[in-house]
Amino acid sequence: VVALQECESAGPCVEIGDKYVFVGSAAARANRGYVHLYVRHGVDFERCAVDASRPAVAARVKYQAAASGASQSVVLVAVHLPTGDQAKLRRQCVEAAVSSS
């Protein structure tokens, strides 16, 4: 899984498209650019809903547990936390990201 921030556009970065699937992007309005989330080709995942007003992208990634062989999943969130004058929004961003799981 790869998370990028301050990307120039909402669209996927072609430089990593040969190895990673673009999960999605979200505008980082309090700062600049976009946050992106990618998952390696062949990994089973589904995008999770996140409040569209938040600079976050989430995905539930599925995997086989090594010890038991049972199917497991984990929710991963790429979030762009505001800085400076917008730092007070950090808690709201983190809470929104955590609630997506």
Side-chain angles (χ1 to χ4, degrees):
V1 175
V2 174
L4 301 175
Q5 66 180 27
E6 297 184 7
C7 296
E8 295 297 323
S9 72
C13 294
V14 297
E15 298 87 351
I16 62 174
D18 61 327
K19 294 188 182 190
Y20 294 92
V21 175
F22 180 63
V23 175
S25 66
R29 292 176 189 94
N31 294 18
R32 73 177 287 269
Y34 296 83
V35 60
H36 287 195
L37 184 63
Y38 298 83
V39 176
R40 187 177 288 278
H41 284 288
V43 173
D44 190 12
F45 76 92
E46 63 183 88
R47 184 169 176 173
C48 300
V50 177
D51 181 343
S53 69
R54 303 293 180 204
V57 181
R60 179 174 303 280
V61 178
K62 299 172 186 171
Y63 64 94
Q64 294 295 109
S68 66
S71 180
Q72 302 285 324
S73 68
V74 61
V75 174
L76 301 169
V77 181
V79 60
H80 195 295
L81 298 175
T83 60
D85 294 343
Q86 300 294 320
K88 63 184 175 217
L89 297 174
R90 282 184 178 190
R91 183 180 180 120
Q92 293 172 3
C93 289
V94 171
E95 287 173 354
V98 171
S99 71
S100 70
S101 59

